[in-house]
Amino acid sequence: MSQQPRVQKTTVIRVELTDQQYEALSKRAKEAGYSSVEAFVEAAISGAAVAPAQLPEGLEERLTKRVERIIQDVLNPFTQKVDELARRLAQVQEDVEFLKEALRQRPQERPVQRLQAERTAEQSAAIERLRRQGVVFSEDVAYLRAPDRFFAKLERLGAVVIQLPEGQVAVDADFWRKFLAELESTSLRDARQVADKLAASLGDRAAALFNRLVKSGLAVYDEDSRKWSVRSVKGRARAEEEEEGEEEEGEEEGY
């Protein structure tokens, strides 16, 4: 005959709590990890309930200080960079103010003086180029908007300007004297031989100048004297161009 399961007897205990006591008990239940006061009470009766863990005295303060130090270690490099940027910005502002003050105190350059200085610089550049090359042909300055004014300027500065059928030629005064002396000293009749001699002594531009003078009929060989001579190549007067050039010289860039 099978035995019937033994039924455990239960006893009902009624506990009356004030609202304040119930709230305190509910708080302890939550701290212990229980979802309700009833579950906490049952666990306490059976001996399973444990008091919430308490941090050692002073541990919270030590942890707080430790976290603060870690945060400072992380932020310090960025703080230093921000300080450095602020210092540099202040220095830049100081430099800008210094430049502004210097510009205010600087005497204003008169427009006429500035224009004269620019013209002087342009003239120096033009004559220096001619002195360096010896000869400047019209195709050398074809990129200029007004090549005629360029040659007129060189003529005013003492260069020899020759008008040829294919365009103008400017010759440095010293180079021109050497060219004439070399040409008049030769007894060669053949123009190609003369050009080769000029190229050897004065350079390829001297030979090119000679060939153009021969082609235009300005350089001829005299059979009687057996010498080469150059007809008058006096530069053209440019009074009107000079007056116009005084107003528009600034347009001729790249001398």
Side-chain angles (χ1 to χ4, degrees):
M1 183 175 179
S2 61
Q3 295 182 352
Q4 295 292 330
R6 186 176 180 179
V7 178
Q8 294 183 353
K9 295 182 179 181
T10 60
T11 302
V12 177
I13 300 176
R14 181 179 179 182
V15 179
E16 293 185 359
L17 301 174
T18 64
D19 291 342
Q20 185 176 4
Q21 290 174 334
Y22 184 81
E23 289 178 0
L25 187 61
S26 176
K27 181 179 179 181
R28 292 191 61 185
K30 290 181 179 180
E31 290 176 351
Y34 292 92
S35 59
S36 64
V37 174
E38 290 78 2
F40 176 70
V41 172
E42 290 179 359
I45 294 173
S46 62
V50 295
Q54 297 290 332
L55 293 176
E57 185 178 356
L59 178 60
E60 182 177 358
E61 182 179 357
R62 291 196 299 272
L63 289 175
T64 301
K65 292 182 179 180
R66 175 63 176 169
V67 171
E68 289 178 352
R69 284 197 299 270
I70 293 175
I71 293 175
Q72 289 177 355
D73 292 341
V74 173
L75 294 180
N76 277 342
F78 297 98
T79 303
Q80 293 174 358
K81 291 182 179 180
V82 172
D83 293 341
E84 177 66 17
L85 288 175
R87 186 188 65 79
R88 292 186 179 183
L89 179 59
Q91 183 63 43
V92 170
Q93 291 175 339
E94 183 178 346
D95 294 342
V96 170
E97 292 300 326
F98 175 79
L99 291 175
K100 287 182 178 179
E101 183 64 24
L103 289 175
R104 282 195 295 266
Q105 296 178 359
R106 180 181 178 182
Q108 296 295 324
E109 186 178 11
R110 299 177 61 183
V112 175
Q113 294 176 340
R114 183 169 61 253
L115 181 59
Q116 290 176 348
E118 291 175 354
R119 288 177 178 174
T120 301
E122 290 173 359
Q123 292 175 355
S124 299
I127 201 66
E128 178 59 29
R129 172 176 178 172
L130 181 61
R131 185 178 295 111
R132 184 175 63 253
Q133 296 183 355
V135 182
V136 174
F137 299 103
S138 57
E139 60 266 26
D140 295 334
V141 291
Y143 60 89
L144 294 178
R145 289 191 292 269
D148 287 343
R149 286 204 296 272
F150 174 72
F151 285 102
K153 174 180 293 185
L154 291 177
E155 188 174 11
R156 291 196 303 272
L157 295 175
V160 177
V161 176
I162 308 170
Q163 182 66 44
L164 299 177
E166 61 268 29
Q168 298 183 80
V169 180
V171 187
D172 177 67
D174 291 338
F175 188 91
W176 179 248
R177 284 190 289 269
K178 294 177 182 178
F179 175 84
L180 292 179
E182 187 71 23
L183 183 61
E184 293 173 356
S185 66
T186 182
S187 59
L188 296 173
R189 185 180 185 281
D190 186 87
R192 288 176 296 182
Q193 294 180 346
V194 176
D196 292 340
K197 182 179 179 182
L198 289 171
S201 58
L202 297 177
D204 292 339
R205 284 187 170 266
L209 174 62
F210 171 74
N211 289 331
R212 296 193 186 196
L213 291 175
V214 172
K215 182 179 179 180
S216 63
L218 294 178
V220 295
Y221 181 78
D222 189 339
E223 294 289 350
D224 295 333
S225 63
R226 294 184 179 182
K227 289 184 178 181
W228 286 90
S229 63
V230 178
R231 297 179 181 179
S232 176
V233 291
K234 183 179 180 181
R236 299 178 304 166
R238 302 177 184 270
E240 295 180 357
E241 293 183 7
E242 180 174 353
E243 182 178 353
E244 180 183 0
E246 291 296 328
E247 299 176 355
E248 302 182 11
E249 280 179 347
E251 296 179 358
E252 301 172 17
E253 301 175 354
Y255 293 164

